[in-house]
Amino acid sequence: MATKEKPATTQAEYDKAWEEVKSGKQKAPSFDDMGPLPPAKKDQTKKVYQFLLYALGLGLLFVLFQFLGWNQLVSNNIHFSGGNPSESFFYALSGLHLAHLFFGVVSLAVTSFKAKKNRYSSTNYLGISLCAIYWHFLDFLWLILFVFLALFR
């Protein structure tokens, strides 16, 4: 890339940046370049806290939407103990998902609290890493489950 501040704008700049990535001179962007880890490695504690609060808010919003979805199912007369076994199966799967989300939200809340208290630094960010690993595992697990259910319905 031409510079870190200015992104490539011409085809020649893109080609040069791609060649640098392929040759190992430049690191390709990854998920590790996003979120609270890069600021934690630079001791930017306020930014770490902001990222964690944002993630916590999204997690809580997802939980809210899960409950709203269940309310919509109930209003359409689809119940856990209904006559159709697939209805019960859906409630069981989404309930299991909610349990996983609960633990993820708790881990984000604890990690956010510790970030607010400045317990993370460029030498101590294991809690942030473990929280991120849990959420990425959860993403991967439910993505695989979604694909499995879509293919074998």
Side-chain angles (χ1 to χ4, degrees), residues 6-141:
K6 180 181 159 257
T9 55
T10 66
Q11 186 62 43
E13 289 174 328
Y14 282 115
D15 291 341
K16 181 181 177 197
W18 179 241
E19 288 302 319
E20 287 177 355
V21 168
K22 288 193 313 187
S23 68
K25 292 179 185 173
Q26 178 74 26
K27 181 181 160 223
S30 70
F31 285 114
D32 291 338
D33 297 333
M34 297 184 276
L37 277 177
K41 293 176 182 178
K42 297 176 186 172
D43 287 322
Q44 297 172 336
T45 55
K46 184 177 178 183
K47 201 176 255 189
V48 169
Y49 181 65
Q50 289 171 340
F51 272 115
L52 290 170
L53 278 185
Y54 176 71
L56 180 62
L58 288 175
L60 291 171
L61 192 63
F62 195 94
V63 169
L64 172 70
F65 286 137
Q66 180 111 20
F67 279 108
L68 291 175
W70 280 345
N71 279 342
Q72 189 69 31
L73 290 172
V74 169
S75 69
N76 288 325
N77 207 23
I78 299 172
H79 301 282
F80 178 71
S81 59
N84 188 343
S86 65
E87 294 173 3
S88 299
F89 186 67
F90 177 78
Y91 273 102
L93 271 179
S94 60
L96 187 61
H97 185 223
L98 186 62
H100 283 102
L101 279 174
F102 172 76
F103 290 113
V105 167
V106 167
S107 72
L108 273 171
V110 169
T111 307
S112 297
F113 176 77
K114 287 183 175 183
K116 180 70 174 166
K117 298 289 184 186
N118 291 326
R119 299 223 177 121
Y120 298 116
S121 66
S122 60
T123 58
N124 175 24
Y125 51 87
L126 180 63
I128 297 169
S129 296
L130 292 175
C131 188
I133 289 169
Y134 179 81
W135 276 99
H136 287 110
F137 167 76
L138 196 63
D139 291 341
F140 181 71
L141 174 73

